[in-house]
mmCIF file of all heavy atoms in Angstrom:
data_model
loop_
_atom_site.group_PDB
_atom_site.id
_atom_site.type_symbol
_atom_site.label_atom_id
_atom_site.label_comp_id
_atom_site.label_asym_id
_atom_site.label_seq_id
_atom_site.Cartn_x
_atom_site.Cartn_y
_atom_site.Cartn_z
ATOM 1 N N ALA T 236 152.309 66.033 335.055
ATOM 2 C CA ALA T 236 151.506 64.858 335.397
ATOM 3 C C ALA T 236 150.084 65.227 335.802
ATOM 4 O O ALA T 236 149.160 64.419 335.646
ATOM 5 C CB ALA T 236 152.175 64.082 336.538
ATOM 6 N N SER T 237 149.899 66.468 336.284
ATOM 7 C CA SER T 237 148.555 66.901 336.679
ATOM 8 C C SER T 237 147.624 67.002 335.471
ATOM 9 O O SER T 237 146.403 66.880 335.605
ATOM 10 C CB SER T 237 148.623 68.259 337.387
ATOM 11 O OG SER T 237 148.861 69.315 336.445
ATOM 12 N N GLY T 238 148.201 67.251 334.301
ATOM 13 C CA GLY T 238 147.400 67.379 333.086
ATOM 14 C C GLY T 238 146.651 68.693 332.964
ATOM 15 O O GLY T 238 145.915 68.892 331.991
ATOM 16 N N THR T 239 146.831 69.606 333.922
ATOM 17 C CA THR T 239 146.142 70.894 333.849
ATOM 18 C C THR T 239 146.858 71.812 332.868
ATOM 19 O O THR T 239 148.071 71.688 332.657
ATOM 20 C CB THR T 239 146.102 71.576 335.224
ATOM 21 O OG1 THR T 239 147.452 71.893 335.624
ATOM 22 C CG2 THR T 239 145.469 70.664 336.271
ATOM 23 N N PRO T 240 146.139 72.757 332.259
ATOM 24 C CA PRO T 240 146.813 73.690 331.343
ATOM 25 C C PRO T 240 147.971 74.434 331.997
ATOM 26 O O PRO T 240 149.045 74.559 331.401
ATOM 27 C CB PRO T 240 145.688 74.640 330.931
ATOM 28 C CG PRO T 240 144.438 73.813 331.052
ATOM 29 C CD PRO T 240 144.670 72.947 332.257
ATOM 30 N N ASP T 241 147.766 74.914 333.226
ATOM 31 C CA ASP T 241 148.840 75.639 333.908
ATOM 32 C C ASP T 241 150.030 74.726 334.179
ATOM 33 O O ASP T 241 151.188 75.128 334.027
ATOM 34 C CB ASP T 241 148.335 76.232 335.227
ATOM 35 C CG ASP T 241 147.442 77.446 335.015
ATOM 36 O OD1 ASP T 241 147.377 77.957 333.871
ATOM 37 O OD2 ASP T 241 146.797 77.876 335.995
ATOM 38 N N GLY T 242 149.744 73.494 334.603
ATOM 39 C CA GLY T 242 150.819 72.554 334.903
ATOM 40 C C GLY T 242 151.606 72.184 333.659
ATOM 41 O O GLY T 242 152.843 72.113 333.677
ATOM 42 N N MET T 243 150.900 71.950 332.566
ATOM 43 C CA MET T 243 151.572 71.599 331.321
ATOM 44 C C MET T 243 152.416 72.771 330.814
ATOM 45 O O MET T 243 153.558 72.587 330.363
ATOM 46 C CB MET T 243 150.541 71.205 330.265
ATOM 47 C CG MET T 243 149.701 69.999 330.617
ATOM 48 S SD MET T 243 150.613 68.452 330.554
ATOM 49 C CE MET T 243 150.609 68.123 328.789
ATOM 50 N N ALA T 244 151.845 73.974 330.881
ATOM 51 C CA ALA T 244 152.584 75.148 330.428
ATOM 52 C C ALA T 244 153.834 75.364 331.276
ATOM 53 O O ALA T 244 154.899 75.729 330.754
ATOM 54 C CB ALA T 244 151.689 76.385 330.478
ATOM 55 N N ALA T 245 153.719 75.140 332.575
ATOM 56 C CA ALA T 245 154.872 75.319 333.464
ATOM 57 C C ALA T 245 155.973 74.307 333.137
ATOM 58 O O ALA T 245 157.168 74.640 333.184
ATOM 59 C CB ALA T 245 154.438 75.185 334.918
ATOM 60 N N TRP T 246 155.597 73.068 332.820
ATOM 61 C CA TRP T 246 156.592 72.055 332.450
ATOM 62 C C TRP T 246 157.302 72.433 331.150
ATOM 63 O O TRP T 246 158.525 72.334 331.042
ATOM 64 C CB TRP T 246 155.924 70.694 332.318
ATOM 65 C CG TRP T 246 156.795 69.635 331.694
ATOM 66 C CD1 TRP T 246 156.638 69.065 330.470
ATOM 67 C CD2 TRP T 246 157.966 69.024 332.280
ATOM 68 N NE1 TRP T 246 157.636 68.141 330.252
ATOM 69 C CE2 TRP T 246 158.459 68.093 331.334
ATOM 70 C CE3 TRP T 246 158.627 69.170 333.495
ATOM 71 C CZ2 TRP T 246 159.589 67.311 331.575
ATOM 72 C CZ3 TRP T 246 159.768 68.398 333.734
ATOM 73 C CH2 TRP T 246 160.234 67.477 332.793
ATOM 74 N N ILE T 247 156.547 72.886 330.156
ATOM 75 C CA ILE T 247 157.157 73.283 328.885
ATOM 76 C C ILE T 247 158.103 74.465 329.100
ATOM 77 O O ILE T 247 159.212 74.500 328.551
ATOM 78 C CB ILE T 247 156.072 73.623 327.845
ATOM 79 C CG1 ILE T 247 155.254 72.369 327.499
ATOM 80 C CG2 ILE T 247 156.698 74.214 326.573
ATOM 81 C CD1 ILE T 247 153.981 72.644 326.713
ATOM 82 N N ALA T 248 157.674 75.420 329.926
ATOM 83 C CA ALA T 248 158.533 76.562 330.222
ATOM 84 C C ALA T 248 159.802 76.122 330.942
ATOM 85 O O ALA T 248 160.897 76.650 330.689
ATOM 86 C CB ALA T 248 157.777 77.584 331.062
ATOM 87 N N HIS T 249 159.664 75.153 331.839
ATOM 88 C CA HIS T 249 160.826 74.628 332.559
ATOM 89 C C HIS T 249 161.807 73.984 331.573
ATOM 90 O O HIS T 249 163.022 74.209 331.650
ATOM 91 C CB HIS T 249 160.367 73.601 333.600
ATOM 92 C CG HIS T 249 161.474 73.066 334.443
ATOM 93 N ND1 HIS T 249 161.885 73.676 335.605
ATOM 94 C CD2 HIS T 249 162.277 71.976 334.288
ATOM 95 C CE1 HIS T 249 162.885 72.989 336.134
ATOM 96 N NE2 HIS T 249 163.144 71.946 335.350
ATOM 97 N N CYS T 250 161.293 73.203 330.640
ATOM 98 C CA CYS T 250 162.148 72.581 329.631
ATOM 99 C C CYS T 250 162.806 73.637 328.748
ATOM 100 O O CYS T 250 163.974 73.499 328.362
ATOM 101 C CB CYS T 250 161.342 71.600 328.784
ATOM 102 S SG CYS T 250 160.815 70.104 329.685
ATOM 103 N N GLY T 251 162.070 74.697 328.440
ATOM 104 C CA GLY T 251 162.643 75.784 327.664
ATOM 105 C C GLY T 251 163.792 76.454 328.392
ATOM 106 O O GLY T 251 164.843 76.748 327.794
ATOM 107 N N LYS T 252 163.606 76.688 329.679
ATOM 108 C CA LYS T 252 164.679 77.298 330.473
ATOM 109 C C LYS T 252 165.901 76.384 330.510
ATOM 110 O O LYS T 252 167.047 76.852 330.449
ATOM 111 C CB LYS T 252 164.180 77.579 331.893
ATOM 112 C CG LYS T 252 165.202 78.274 332.783
ATOM 113 C CD LYS T 252 165.565 79.651 332.252
ATOM 114 C CE LYS T 252 166.497 80.382 333.212
ATOM 115 N NZ LYS T 252 166.955 81.675 332.646
#
Side-chain angles (χ1 to χ4, degrees):
S237 75
T239 65
D241 286 349
M243 298 288 280
W246 169 249
I247 295 168
H249 183 88
C250 291
K252 183 63 175 175

